[in-house]
Amino acid sequence: MEENSIVKYEGGIIKRISNQIGVTNKLLALSEPELIPYRKGEKWGFCDKNKKIIIDCIYKRTFDFVEDLAIVETFEDSGYGFINKDGDIVIPCKYFGDLGIGIGMDDFSDLSFSKGLAKARLSMNETGFIDKKGNIVIPC
């Protein structure tokens, strides 16, 4: 048995489990978010876990990545859109939260993607669903 290794006593057998801990740590590292919302002054972008900025802080508001897309609000547009992990806007910033007048923390969850679709609200009376390319799948 190696020195300083972690062992487990199981059914009369001593097993070395440090390899399992290494594998578990690698799996945990994979489950951590690759890109984290990051604020610099009044602008938001995304950084890695070491706080290295990956996507420039140019947004008015950002949210976590879900299904490889993140909701963002720009300073130029009214409404929210989605960017990919390269920082490219893949769905224009023209959608709103559940109130149809903007988005707050309480009505944000209805916009994120689930199983490849997200709610698309253009106004109080126009709601449909879009796919991850911004195509309207269920008309507003």
Side-chain angles (χ1 to χ4, degrees), residues 2 10 30 32 36 42 57 63 81 95 99 106 109 121:
E2 292 180 28
E10 187 176 283
L30 289 175
E32 292 178 12
I36 304 161
E42 295 299 316
C57 298
F63 295 91
Y95 297 103
L99 301 175
D106 296 335
S109 62
R121 183 175 290 266

Side-chain angles (χ1 to χ4, degrees), residues 82 91 95 113 116-118 120 128-132 134-137:
F82 294 84
I91 299 173
Y95 297 103
F113 277 89
L117 295 177
F129 286 85
I130 56 174
D131 65 16
K132 291 168 99 176
N135 299 316
I136 296 176
V137 177

Side-chain angles (χ1 to χ4, degrees), residues 27-81:
L27 289 173
L28 287 173
L30 289 175
S31 69
E32 292 178 12
E34 293 176 350
L35 297 175
I36 304 161
Y38 182 84
R39 186 174 75 174
K40 188 175 183 180
E42 295 299 316
K43 296 180 180 180
W44 287 85
F46 291 88
C47 67
D48 63 14
K49 64 182 179 179
N50 298 316
K51 295 187 179 176
K52 177 185 174 196
I53 295 176
I54 305 298
I55 297 175
D56 288 334
C57 298
I58 60 171
Y59 300 102
K60 188 174 182 180
R61 195 168 182 185
T62 62
F63 295 91
D64 291 332
F65 277 88
V66 176
E67 293 190 20
D68 295 326
L69 296 176
I71 297 172
V72 296
E73 177 184 18
T74 64
F75 286 95
E76 299 82 29
D77 301 307
S78 61
Y80 289 75

Side-chain angles (χ1 to χ4, degrees), residues 95 110 118-122 126-130 136-140:
Y95 297 103
D110 70 326
K119 188 184 279 187
R121 183 175 290 266
L122 293 170
E126 294 180 288
T127 302
F129 286 85
I130 56 174
I136 296 176
V137 177
I138 300 172
C140 296

Side-chain angles (χ1 to χ4, degrees), residues 81-136:
F82 294 84
I83 62 169
N84 62 21
K85 291 186 175 183
D86 293 326
D88 302 321
I89 293 181
V90 294
I91 299 173
C93 296
K94 63 181 183 178
Y95 297 103
F96 295 91
D98 212 21
L99 301 175
I101 55 172
I103 189 167
M105 291 304 286
D106 296 335
D107 57 4
F108 143 74
S109 62
D110 70 326
L111 285 178
S112 64
F113 277 89
S114 176
K115 298 180 182 178
L117 295 177
K119 188 184 279 187
R121 183 175 290 266
L122 293 170
S123 72
M124 286 286 268
N125 300 319
E126 294 180 288
T127 302
F129 286 85
I130 56 174
D131 65 16
K132 291 168 99 176
K133 293 183 178 178
N135 299 316
I136 296 176

